[in-house]
Amino acid sequence: MNQPVLRVEGLRVAYDHPLGLVRAVDDVSFSLTPHERFGLAGESGSGKSTMALAILRMIRPPGHIDGGEVWLEDTRLLSLSDDAMRRLRLAGIALVPQGSMNALNPVLRIRAQIADALDDHGTSLPKRDFEKRVRELLHDVGLPPEVADMYPHELSGGMKQRACIAIAICLRPKVIIADEPTSALDVVVQRQVMATLARVQQELGAAVVLIGHDMGLMAQFVDRLGVMYAGRLVEIAPIGQIITAPRHPYTQMLIASLPSLESKGTMQGIPGLAPLLRELPSGCAFHPRCPRAVARCSAERPELRDIAAGAQAACHLA
Ligand code: SF4
């Protein structure tokens, strides 16, 4: 049995708000084995990106981590000094951010941005070795060597995202967190970027957390999927199981809202809106939108519990 490379246990993130504490991530636990691809899906505001930032300890005030643990192998991340955590980012866990144009420095050529990442981690290389490393990294993500001399505005959206992946893998991290890496890209480029991510992940032997709301993309890429709603995980299962037989009504509705070639009727969205985190409904936070809600649902919050081998759901009826 593979030991987990990343363990998140009871993680909580809260924001101070004039009306009280707002919990954006509430008691989230999951783990990843080496090489595993784990997806995190849910509507905007469900806490997915906040959790990614919390794992990397990049939550900014008025937000703060207010409980839980995060382990990278035997290292307890929430206890590290700021300096040690800074060194661990990129070298141990790397982020492929959402919106590559905002993530890349617009006034530095790609070569200088790779050099910056290496220098900051004390791994400066002699000039010839550095140039070789830059060429290798660009090759690994399917970019020509000339890209090293280009500025971000000279690259297409897909090329910028590949450049972000090249920087993310420059120190061979054990875990890559990809936060909606294909948002704002067209479908063909999306597939190319995901193929690049899959290839470099295999070459590194890294585990990946893929964050997004495209269930089609999740079905093609991940091994296991966690579904988040209002800051909590409501279902975790192997991807084949969750796509063919989702247990939680929210997951069922997310999957039913996927367009299908067979049924060409009106597309079904999920009625209503995701709740405001500072005014969560009582009991199960999904109950005002849930077509299967019963009286118990508004009174008692369902906990995430085992429902089948390797599968968990937080629903009174699952
Ligand atoms: Fe729906 Fe009740 Fe299950 Fe919540 S606990 S998802 S409201 S059936």
Side-chain angles (χ1 to χ4, degrees), residues 248-250 284-287 290-294 297 300 302 314-318:
H248 194 284
Y250 178 59
C284 172
F286 189 54
H287 86 257
C290 181
R292 296 175 59 196
V294 293
C297 299
E300 192 184 325
C315 171
H316 295 310
L317 307 185

Side-chain angles (χ1 to χ4, degrees), residues 66-87:
D66 76 340
E69 291 287 356
V70 181
W71 297 80
L72 180 70
E73 296 179 325
D74 295 329
T75 306
R76 205 170 153 191
L77 302 195
L78 302 190
S79 307
L80 289 179
S81 66
D82 289 347
D83 198 40
M85 189 64 214
R86 185 180 167 86
R87 275 182 269 120

